[in-house]
Amino acid sequence: MLLLCLILAAGGVLQARAQPDSKGFISVDCGLQGETGYTENTTKLSMAPDNGGFTDDAGTCHNISAEYVTPLMGKSWFNLRSFAAGTRNCYTLRSIVPGLKYLVRARFMYGNYDGLHRLPMFDLHIGVNFWRTVNISSPFAAKFVEVIVVVPDDYVQVCLINTGAGTPFISGLDLRPLKKTMYPQVTAAQGLVLLTRFNFGGDENTGIRYPDDPHDRMWFPWVNSSSWTEISTTRRVKYEADSPFEAPMAVMQTAIRPRNASHNIEFDWEPQPQANDPSPGYIIIMHFSELQLLPSNAVREFYINLNGKLLNRDVMRPPYLYGQASYNTFAIRKSYYIVSLNATANSTLPPIINALELFSVIPTTNLSTNSQDVSAILVIKAKYQVHKNWMGDPCGPGTVMVWDSLTCSYAIASPPRITRVNLSNNNLVGSIPNVLSQLTSLTVLDLSRNQLNGSIPFGLLVRVQDGSLDLRYGNNSDICTNGNSCQLPTKQRSKLAIYIAIPAVLIVIIVAVVLFCFIRRKCQGSINNSVRPRNEMMTSYASGDDLYGDGSLRLESRQFTYEELKMITNNFERVLGRGGFGYVYDGFLEDGTQVAVKLRSHSSDQGDKEFLAEIHHKNLVTMIGYCKDGEYLALVYEYMSEGTLHDHIEGSKLEGQCLSWRQRLRIALESAQGARVSA
């Protein structure tokens, strides 16, 4: 069996593939350094090198001792990656299909790589759920561990957990997609861990996997010539298209029967208790096909028993050259297991069996951290190069494996959320990433005692303003809290002044000419023309961080992004009114200032020219800023609680009378000086 294991993984040179191939397969030769992979000789599958990308450079690569290398050994057994540091270290396999069933297989061969002759024992997790304990019993033992699970995300993590019984290591890692209809016992809440997968009959030195099995399951031969007689055929044997197991034809073309026709077929096993499940449940899948064309007077039928009791009430009559499976849907838990195939009283032939799969059941009910939180914190990890035990899922499983410096909240049937991040006193440099705003459940963010610089992101300022976030940023001398304006070093400011001065002079000249032309045209216009708003834009033309020289924010000329407007208006929640330009929304700036946001409607036929014309006279309303962000045009005004100019004029009308222009002008001036009517 050891020799067969080593031969089943043997190999030419190929460029590395960290992404799934055309079949959706990922195969990693753990510990193989460099950028070049190779093709396995037996399967012709490509093997990707392990250059640290799967593990964020955690762990170290080793070769096994030369004394354990044999001529027939597959190349993938020559090396491994070990993890002497950290409690949890993970391989992350990406670009997979969320919600699909996957077979994940890990391989291990110690080979005394460290020269210490210390056989380790450690745990494996699939994502945030326990997979099984790996117990290395011999330096030359080749060990396979396999699980079938539903993967909820577009990536899956295989994590090695140091339990204090030796340094975890891994020799290889495979991922294979399965049809959703296969292995119906596998659900989002339950996975299957392979105990054994046997092909009865055939060459005892030849295992079966890809390409004979398109899903690359490994079928190991089980031959016992003293007790069993082999039956085989070269004819096609196939499963129905909707079969939930699809054992490959090469497996189904061989079978065994008792050498003594009056005997039964029996096999047994003992439970294998795990740390988190001392009495595991088992799923038994048996494959049958009649390989002989029986004469009309011959009958082959038998019962399947477990511990002397019927496992399946139906009598098994294997169909000729067609596969049929017998299995239990729900896990069986016993103190011992003896499966026997017993011929019925009417049977003239002994029982047969072609193949067997035996699984234990594991729960997969632990939920991984909220995906938005994971995306955000991974950006932080990459930006600041955090290596202090930030491996695997940020918040789990449970509270014992939460990343250092994080605090998480947990709720029944909901993914964990990150609520506190403490990155104080870590010598962090650079700006504060806006992605931190995506941590919507964050209540405390401590960035104090670092070397950070730049503005605090607008999204965080809003959270601080509404009281939902405690932001600590003391002892970062280059952080500015304005959100739009930061002081630059002296040398940068002097350069910036030069860059601003020349364009500013040109702009003043241009504006003066435009105003002159505008006033002249206005004076020449007809007295019957209606009053129109002045076509002026109060905009800063400075560039860089210190927009206004004094380091303060001039709200009346501020340029907003569309995302900022969404936050100011709480996603445009409250409508104040509507005009030809579009809707007017209620909003609040980060300092609590109430504003009115006029957003051009997509259905509006007004363009840039009308956008400029929408800016009202500064004596009637104060314009705080504007937005010209791609297709979005908007104006931000100071909010006026006393109503519009129209309201004031209408309210002052005498019943049945019209106001004179003198009365209208007086009302407008009073409104502008007192109530400051809205646009």
Side-chain angles (χ1 to χ4, degrees), residues 461-615:
L461 289 176
V462 172
R463 297 275 308 281
V464 171
Q465 182 67 32
D466 65 22
S468 63
L469 176 64
D470 178 7
L471 176 60
R472 304 168 187 175
Y473 54 87
N475 295 315
N476 285 277
S477 57
D478 291 328
I479 282 185
C480 54
T481 61
N482 194 295
N484 277 270
S485 173
C486 291
Q487 295 292 339
L488 294 177
T490 304
K491 187 175 294 185
Q492 284 185 284
R493 287 205 300 269
S494 62
K495 290 182 179 179
L496 181 60
I498 296 172
Y499 298 151
I500 294 174
I502 295 174
V505 171
L506 294 175
I507 290 166
V508 169
I509 295 173
I510 293 171
V511 170
V513 173
V514 171
L515 287 176
F516 174 77
C517 295
F518 175 78
I519 293 171
R520 183 177 181 183
R521 173 185 286 185
K522 184 175 181 181
C523 292
Q524 294 174 348
S526 171
I527 193 169
N528 294 324
N529 286 347
S530 60
V531 178
R532 291 173 295 180
R534 278 173 50 189
N535 208 22
E536 63 179 7
M537 196 71 168
M538 289 184 291
T539 308
S540 168
Y541 295 93
S543 60
D545 291 333
D546 191 358
L547 295 179
Y548 308 109
D550 59 357
S552 61
L553 174 66
R554 286 176 54 185
L555 293 176
E556 65 268 25
S557 57
R558 177 172 173 182
Q559 182 174 2
F560 294 87
T561 66
Y562 181 68
E563 289 301 317
E564 288 176 327
L565 294 187
K566 289 176 66 177
M567 300 185 70
I568 289 171
T569 61
N570 195 20
N571 204 23
F572 305 105
E573 180 179 38
R574 180 169 174 248
V575 178
L576 297 177
R578 183 182 182 183
F581 187 78
Y583 287 95
V584 181
Y585 300 92
D586 186 27
F588 292 87
L589 298 182
E590 62 269 25
D591 62 356
T593 301
Q594 189 171 9
V595 294
V597 178
K598 179 177 285 190
L599 178 67
R600 188 185 70 169
S601 164
H602 287 295
S603 61
S604 172
D605 58 359
Q606 300 185 24
D608 289 355
K609 181 178 179 181
E610 291 78 9
F611 172 62
L612 295 175
E614 279 288 327
I615 304 174

Side-chain angles (χ1 to χ4, degrees), residues 52 93 103 132 151 187 224 242 245 251 266 268 341 417 486 519 523 615 640 658 670 678:
L93 306 179
L103 181 155
R132 69 167 300 160
V151 176
T187 65
N224 185 345
D242 59 349
F245 305 109
V251 168
E266 288 189 356
D268 62 86
L341 311 182
R417 302 300 303 265
C486 291
I519 293 171
C523 292
I615 304 174
M640 301 305 164
C658 293
E670 289 175 353
S678 63

Side-chain angles (χ1 to χ4, degrees), residues 39-99:
T39 300
E40 279 189 335
N41 289 334
T42 55
T43 64
K44 306 304 179 185
L45 293 175
S46 60
M47 299 294 296
D50 185 11
N51 53 20
F54 297 105
T55 62
D56 286 341
D57 293 320
T60 54
C61 297
H62 304 271
N63 294 325
I64 64 172
S65 297
E67 60 186 300
Y68 296 103
V69 176
T70 65
L72 295 179
M73 180 183 293
K75 183 178 180 179
S76 64
W77 297 103
F78 291 174
N79 36 257
L80 56 85
R81 182 179 287 268
S82 69
F83 301 94
T87 301
R88 173 174 60 177
N89 289 276
C90 303
Y91 275 77
T92 303
L93 306 179
R94 302 188 182 278
S95 301
I96 61 180
V97 181

Side-chain angles (χ1 to χ4, degrees), residues 48 54 141 203 287 297 321 382 404 483 568 591 601:
F54 297 105
D203 185 352
H287 302 269
N297 61 345
L321 298 182
D404 289 350
I568 289 171
D591 62 356
S601 164

Side-chain angles (χ1 to χ4, degrees), residues 136-388:
I136 305 300
S137 58
S138 167
F140 52 80
K143 191 177 188 69
F144 291 90
V145 180
E146 180 184 304
V147 67
I148 302 174
V149 292
V150 174
V151 176
D153 302 303
D154 61 355
Y155 65 91
V156 65
Q157 292 186 312
V158 175
C159 299
L160 293 81
I161 313 300
N162 191 330
T163 58
T167 301
F169 74 92
I170 186 169
S171 302
L173 191 58
D174 303 325
L175 179 137
R176 309 290 186 250
L178 299 175
K179 298 177 183 177
K180 287 187 176 182
T181 56
M182 295 184 68
Y183 297 97
Q185 300 92 337
V186 176
T187 65
Q190 174 178 285
L192 296 181
V193 175
L194 182 68
L195 182 63
T196 191
R197 184 181 285 119
F198 282 125
N199 171 30
F200 290 104
D203 185 352
E204 62 180 346
N205 294 318
T206 304
I208 293 174
R209 58 176 298 192
Y210 187 86
D212 292 317
D213 187 335
H215 307 295
D216 195 29
R217 292 167 293 185
M218 290 185 172
W219 302 81
F220 293 100
W222 189 358
V223 177
N224 185 345
S225 56
S226 62
S227 301
W228 301 332
T229 297
E230 180 187 341
I231 306 171
S232 64
T233 184
T234 57
R235 303 191 67 178
R236 285 183 63 86
V237 181
K238 58 183 180 179
Y239 259 100
E240 297 292 346
D242 59 349
S243 167
F245 305 109
E246 298 183 11
M249 183 172 66
V251 168
M252 298 302 295
Q253 285 176 324
T254 62
I256 54 103
R257 64 172 178 80
R259 183 168 290 277
N260 186 328
S262 63
H263 288 181
N264 303 321
I265 296 176
E266 288 189 356
F267 49 90
D268 62 86
W269 74 93
E270 294 182 356
Q272 297 183 359
Q274 297 292 312
N276 68 333
D277 191 358
S279 180
Y282 289 92
I283 297 292
I284 311 164
I285 304 170
M286 289 167 280
H287 302 269
F288 303 96
S289 177
E290 181 61 71
L291 304 181
Q292 297 174 320
L293 183 60
L294 303 181
S296 58
N297 61 345
V299 176
R300 193 192 305 277
E301 61 179 29
F302 49 91
Y303 292 109
I304 303 173
N305 296 304
L306 175 63
N307 296 349
K309 297 182 179 180
L310 285 176
L311 181 61
N312 192 325
R313 294 182 180 275
D314 297 330
V315 174
M316 172 57 67
R317 300 182 183 90
Y320 178 58
L321 298 182
Y322 273 89
Q324 183 174 344
S326 177
Y327 58 93
N328 55 302
T329 302
F330 302 102
I332 300 172
R333 298 178 187 271
K334 304 287 184 181
S335 58
Y336 65 96
Y337 298 84
I338 301 176
V339 174
S340 60
L341 311 182
N342 305 85
T344 67
N346 296 328
S347 182
T348 62
L349 298 172
I352 62 171
I353 185 171
N354 302 66
L356 167 71
E357 296 177 89
L358 183 60
F359 297 92
S360 63
V361 174
I362 58 168
T364 55
T365 51
N366 289 334
L367 297 177
S368 56
T369 303
N370 175 273
S371 59
Q372 180 174 294
D373 286 9
V374 172
S375 297
I377 204 67
L378 287 178
V379 171
I380 301 305
K381 177 182 178 181
K383 178 177 178 63
Y384 295 134
Q385 295 295 301
V386 181
H387 296 293
K388 55 175 185 179

